[in-house]
């Protein structure tokens, strides 16, 4: 409920909140105590009368009203169950409780359960073939160009290494346009990628390769082999028996508590995540996203 970012929280008075209970006396019209919030309650017979004074530089009126409502609910909760532990006594209104327990937790979203990441990408290519898809230093590729090159790489992987759905392919590349091309090429071939940072210690690299059972590693050397014969391979979208429950990638944990563990992720999980993101943020072709992962 704070109003200003300029308030120095360290300069608050000795008492931030004061509670004054008075019996059989009139509640004073004003309080000179310098506190953030002062709650006066007058008790007589079976009735309570109360008033709150607060610092308007710190709290909005609706925040104070919410505090009053919560206090009333707390008092009624105590009367209903006087032996209950304080921490278990409810203070929320029914509307707030429903919002907290149901609305905030309602993260389910309808997503195209019959689609793979390859389907989503190729659908986007059809929608915006000329839009920029990748920018890296002086290189710029639109969706059509990115699709053609990744199709060629996918065809190369299938014909050279017999890659098929659920095969794992190591991805050992520095960040560039070719990292994205390689990811799409692996997915379009039917395989799933295993990211391996080139600057990992050699011992960790060896472990990831051996533990995952990668069918091959796409590194700079492998890309050079592909580039020399790139034009021999098909640029068009090809039919691959890829299903939503096939693997998309395998991520390894940090291994800080032992050997790293590989987590296998399917296409449908990633499609679900991206569909949720699209719904929440309503992304358009004019939006720019700074990705942190």
């Amino acid at each position: 409920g704070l109003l200003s970012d300029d308030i120095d929280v360290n300069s608050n008075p000795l008492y931030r909140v004061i509670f004054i209970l008075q019996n059989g006396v009139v509640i004073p019209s004003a309080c000179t105590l310098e506190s953030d919030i002062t709650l006066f309650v007058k008790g007589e017979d079976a009735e309570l009368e109360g008033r709150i004074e607060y610092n308007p530089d710190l709290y909005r009126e609706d925040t104070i009203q919410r505090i009053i409502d919560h206090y009333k609910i707390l008092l009624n909760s105590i009367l209903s169950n006087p032996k209950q532990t304080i921490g278990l006594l409810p203070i929320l209104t029914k509307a707030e409780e429903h919002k907290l327990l149901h609305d905030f937790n309602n993260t389910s979203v309808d997503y195209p359960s019959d689609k793979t990441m390859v389907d989503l990408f190729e659908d986007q290519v059809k929608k915006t073939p000329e839009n920029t898809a990748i920018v890296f230093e002086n290189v710029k590729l639109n969706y059509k160009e990115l699709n053609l090159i990744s199709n060629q790489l996918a065809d190369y992987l299938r014909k050279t290494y017999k890659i098929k759905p659920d095969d794992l392919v190591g991805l050992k590349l520095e960040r560039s346009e070719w990292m994205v091309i390689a990811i799409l090429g692996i997915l379009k071939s039917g395989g799933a990628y295993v990211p391996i940072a080139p600057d990992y210690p050699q011992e960790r690299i060896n472990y990831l390769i051996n533990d995952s059972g990668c069918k091959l590693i796409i590194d700079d050397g492998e890309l050079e082999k592909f580039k020399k014969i790139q034009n021999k391979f098909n640029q068009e979208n090809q039919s691959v028996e890829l299903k939503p429950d096939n693997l998309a990638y395998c991520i390894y944990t940090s291994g800080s508590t032992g050997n790293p563990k590989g987590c296998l992720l399917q296409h449908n999980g990633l499609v679900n995540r991206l569909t949720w993101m699209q719904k929440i943020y309503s992304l358009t072709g004019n939006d720019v996203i700074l990705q942190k992962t």
Side-chain angles (χ1 to χ4, degrees):
L2 294 180
L3 281 178
S4 173
D5 292 332
D6 300 326
I7 296 170
D8 182 0
V9 294
N10 295 316
S11 65
N12 279 35
L14 179 61
Y15 302 108
R16 290 179 179 242
V17 179
I18 296 176
F19 177 83
I20 299 176
L21 177 63
Q22 299 162 314
N23 293 306
V25 296
V26 177
I27 297 179
S29 60
C31 180
T32 58
L33 294 172
E34 292 187 1
S35 62
D36 295 346
I37 299 177
T38 302
L39 171 59
F40 300 92
V41 176
K42 172 188 174 185
E44 190 170 8
D45 297 328
E47 294 185 356
L48 291 177
E49 178 187 341
R51 187 181 75 248
I52 285 185
E53 291 185 2
Y54 63 95
N55 183 346
D57 291 331
L58 290 174
Y59 295 96
R60 295 192 298 259
E61 183 178 351
D62 61 318
T63 301
I64 297 300
Q65 185 59 56
R66 198 158 55 244
I67 291 173
I68 293 171
D69 293 341
H70 289 168
Y71 184 54
K72 288 179 180 179
I73 294 171
L74 177 61
L75 293 178
N76 281 316
S77 300
I78 295 170
L79 289 173
S80 301
N81 194 353
K83 294 184 178 181
Q84 180 62 278
T85 303
I86 289 178
L88 297 178
L89 290 168
I91 66 169
L92 299 178
T93 65
K94 293 297 182 184
E96 289 172 328
E97 190 175 283
H98 186 275
K99 193 169 189 177
L100 184 66
L101 298 178
H102 299 284
D103 294 353
F104 286 169
N105 287 320
N106 184 20
T107 58
S108 62
V109 60
D110 290 330
Y111 71 98
S113 58
D114 60 331
K115 297 276 190 178
T116 67
M117 286 302 301
V118 173
D119 295 326
L120 293 191
F121 177 72
E122 291 178 354
D123 287 347
Q124 188 65 39
V125 173
K126 292 176 184 175
K127 293 175 186 174
T128 59
E130 305 302 325
N131 283 17
T132 299
I134 293 181
V135 176
F136 178 75
E137 296 180 347
N138 297 322
V139 176
K140 183 180 288 188
L141 297 176
N142 61 31
Y143 278 94
K144 181 180 179 181
E145 292 167 333
L146 177 58
N147 193 48
L148 296 179
I149 299 172
S150 56
N151 280 338
Q152 288 178 317
L153 180 57
D155 196 33
Y156 167 80
L157 293 175
R158 281 195 300 272
K159 290 177 178 174
T160 308
Y161 296 101
K162 311 301 180 188
I163 297 299
K164 60 185 185 302
D166 291 340
D167 281 346
L168 294 179
V169 178
L171 187 68
K172 187 179 167 219
L173 296 171
E174 298 288 352
R175 292 175 184 271
S176 73
E177 76 278 15
W178 279 99
M179 176 182 277
V180 180
I181 293 168
I183 288 174
L184 288 168
I186 293 169
L187 294 178
K188 282 170 168 281
S189 74
Y193 66 92
V194 183
I196 302 171
D199 59 357
Y200 279 162
Q202 190 59 46
E203 183 181 357
R204 179 179 170 88
I205 290 176
N206 293 341
Y207 174 83
L208 297 185
I209 293 172
N210 294 329
D211 186 71
S212 65
C214 291
K215 205 163 185 179
L216 78 144
I217 306 295
I218 295 183
D219 55 13
D220 290 333
E222 189 64 46
L223 283 182
E224 287 306 311
K225 287 169 56 179
F226 163 68
K227 291 175 185 177
K228 290 177 181 177
I229 54 175
Q230 179 178 341
N231 292 331
K232 293 182 178 180
F233 297 96
N234 195 342
Q235 291 185 331
E236 303 305 314
N237 295 341
Q238 296 149 60
S239 176
V240 177
E241 293 298 320
L242 191 61
K243 299 177 182 177
D245 59 356
N246 284 132
L247 298 179
Y249 59 101
C250 174
I251 292 288
Y252 274 80
T253 61
S254 64
S256 57
T257 57
N259 285 332
K261 304 291 192 300
C263 301
L264 300 169
L265 289 304
Q266 300 172 325
H267 281 262
N268 49 16
L270 190 51
V271 169
N272 185 17
R273 164 70 182 180
L274 293 179
T275 305
W276 168 85
M277 194 172 183
Q278 174 69 53
K279 178 182 178 183
I280 294 297
Y281 296 107
S282 301
L283 301 170
T284 72
N286 298 320
D287 292 317
V288 177
I289 304 171
L290 180 65
Q291 279 285 50
K292 65 180 180 64
T293 56

